[in-house]
Amino acid sequence: MGKITCLEEGFAEVQTLVSCCPKLENFALKKLQKLVKELELKVKICKEWEELKIKEHELKEKIELKKEILDLKVHKELEEIKCKKEAYEAHLHEELEEFKEKAELIGHAINPIEKIKCGFQEFKIHFEEKKEYYEKLAECHKPKFLIFSDCDSRVDPCKILNLELGEAIVVRNVGCLVAAYGQEGTCPSAHAAIEYAVKELQVEHILVIGHTKCDAIQSLMKAHHEEKSHFSEHFSNWLKIGEHTCKQVKEVHSSKSFEEQCTVCEKECVNLSMHNLLTYPFVKEAVAAKKISIHAGYYDMHNCAFDRWSLDFNYTESEKFH
């Protein structure tokens, strides 16, 4: 209303001047134009002021919104940092536990009696966890497997195949060799184990496991490469079980490297042991009656791989577990 009143007063003043002195009409017109311009300027200023107030309000809203978004982002980042921290702490804890285990192993290497003690204590914890199973096992011995394996400390068949106590009769010897029926001499320990497992315990599967880098097979191959062995006569006599197989490998695979020949011989000696098992009348009879199946295995300790085959097909067509 103030703006309109000011304009009305200006018009009244102009009309008074014109009525008093007509000659002042031009002057009055200029004054009127000046008043109009002033009014337009005031209106413009008022409009801009209103726009500024609106923009100020919008800006405040945007600032509040950005602040909320920033708070959420900071909260999210703090949660992520917290999660990463917890994961890192868990990882450090695992590494610490692993370091402790290694430290214990080093200590046990120095103190073997402590290793035996701690090892049994660990087993006893496992025993208590599966007490019912072990109590039943103490009353009944019914293993499903008879396993022949090398005596190499790196090749424990129960560890490799994750077998529990009571699941397998295990016979371990140098080279994982099984002598043919009647060829063990006056102390046929393998014969006794086979007879006990097949006749008494009535196992369902016999498994012969060879492995990579077998020292016994390498020693046998070196003998055929005319390298003198540092082992005793007893050791050499035992390895004679695989002597003919080793000779055949050398003849058939003469173009291969020594390492490759050893790998072939390791597998062929497993085949030899499988076939020698069939020379035991009670094994042959059980296989014919389909009461027992004979399998071969080959453990690659470098790549943690396991090949399985049987009497029915060759190791070149083996089933591979990786």
Side-chain angles (χ1 to χ4, degrees), residues 43-53:
V43 170
K44 184 180 178 183
I45 290 169
C46 288
K47 187 178 178 182
E48 288 177 351
W49 176 254
E50 290 299 323
E51 287 175 353
L52 282 172
K53 286 178 75 176

Side-chain angles (χ1 to χ4, degrees), residues 5 37 52 74 127 157 164 238 251 273-274 277 282 307:
T5 303
K37 285 182 179 179
L52 282 172
V74 169
F127 180 94
E164 286 281 5
W238 171 255
E251 289 173 357
S273 292
M274 277 203 300
L277 281 164
F282 46 88
D307 294 355

